[in-house]
Amino acid sequence: MRELLLPPVTRNPVEDLLDQLDLDSGERVGKRSGFIIMLILSGVIATAGVLLDSTATVIGAMIIAPLGTPILGIAVGIVTGRARLVLSSVLWVSGAVAAVILIGALFSLGVPNSANLNANSQIAGRTSPQLMDLVAALATGVAGAFAMSRKDLSAVLPGVAIAISLVPPLAVVGVTLGQGDFDGAVGAFLLFFSNVVALIIAGAIVFTLAGYARDALSQRSRRRRAYAIIAVLTVLTAIPLALNTVVILAQAAWTARIQAATTDWLGEGEVQGITWKNLRARVAVEAPGGRVPPLSQLRDALEPDLPTFVGVDVNVTDGVVQPVTKTD
């Protein structure tokens, strides 16, 4: 099976693989300067794309983002028992995280009104990660590690860079922190962290199957400890993603119920939209003359359909927000 997936003529030698993924070996100055320059540029491009709500610009940042190199360096360091490579790669990733978040926070200071970001699809799509994001990241990590293991598949690496979301979520973390949206920052960082864990897991599995692991007993013991740490990180990452997935599915069901109840309650008015902030829904409605029926009628209609911990506010076209329900 190994020879079928990795024919000897196309298999990347371990020396070449380590040279590609270790920023502290070989031509260090060139590697490090290239990594830093491309990281800063990708951070600036990603932040600009997020603030402009431009998908094309964000994709451009993904293509040139160099973060995949030290992350897969962690994976190959675990497989080959190189603790120094693992540690140095972790430090490079940590420094990159801090740099991109700082860039995002600085750029966010130029946003005149945080409300402008509420409808931003680039932010909304990265502040509420789900379990499927982890699955997609695992598949992407397998593709990236497999491409690194074969000399004839380097052309697919730009596609892998687009598929895995690394720098854009960090840009969102910086922007949301700069705007005081700490819940959004936590969600975006969870997406980034889950992608990193998925890349390490997938990379370690592929590099092991590719035969890059060594047989020395001490190194094998070291790898077992590293695999155990990865397993713990996977569980810790999957739990909040699974919980968030459940919340998103529940919110979809609650939204349909709120929509139906509010439409019946309004009569001649119209429901403009329903947005969520944690477990509180804000219903934007338009009513003739800004007059709406008594809120007690809507409260009675929603009571049997919503849990007591879910809150609902009504925002009439005059800008007045009126609470409908009280949360426990």
Side-chain angles (χ1 to χ4, degrees), residues 1-168:
M1 180 62 70
R2 182 184 301 170
E3 291 183 357
L4 175 64
L5 297 177
L6 287 171
V9 68
T10 62
R11 183 176 182 271
N12 204 13
V14 64
E15 295 80 9
D16 293 346
L17 181 66
L18 291 171
D19 183 65
Q20 289 175 291
L21 298 178
D22 188 356
L23 294 174
D24 292 331
S25 69
E27 185 54 44
R28 300 181 183 180
V29 175
K31 288 182 180 179
R32 293 172 177 177
S33 62
F35 178 85
I36 293 172
I37 291 171
M38 297 305 289
L39 175 73
I40 293 175
L41 291 175
S42 64
V44 171
I45 295 171
T47 303
V50 167
L51 293 176
L52 294 172
D53 199 1
S54 170
T55 301
T57 306
V58 171
I59 290 176
M62 292 178 182
I63 294 176
I64 69 171
L67 261 176
T69 297
I71 293 174
L72 287 178
I74 296 173
V76 77
I78 291 171
V79 169
T80 58
R82 287 172 165 79
R84 182 204 60 78
L85 175 56
V86 173
L87 178 60
S88 66
S89 297
V90 168
L91 292 176
W92 278 106
V93 173
S94 301
V97 168
V100 176
I101 291 177
L102 179 60
I103 291 172
L106 291 175
F107 272 59
S108 71
L109 299 179
V111 179
N113 185 2
S114 61
N116 297 334
L117 300 178
N118 293 337
N120 189 311
S121 63
Q122 300 300 323
I123 293 179
R126 292 182 172 87
T127 54
S128 188
Q130 305 178 46
L131 194 59
M132 190 56 65
D133 290 309
L134 182 62
V135 175
L138 281 169
T140 305
V142 170
F146 185 59
M148 292 294 298
S149 300
R150 289 184 53 154
K151 293 182 288 186
D152 59 333
L153 292 181
S154 59
V156 308
L157 289 176
V160 173
I162 295 174
I164 191 70
S165 191
L166 294 172
V167 171

Side-chain angles (χ1 to χ4, degrees), residues 254-264 271 273-274 302:
W254 296 333
T255 298
R257 297 171 188 171
I258 295 172
Q259 175 84 28
T262 307
T263 301
D264 293 341
V271 178
I274 301 174
L302 290 173

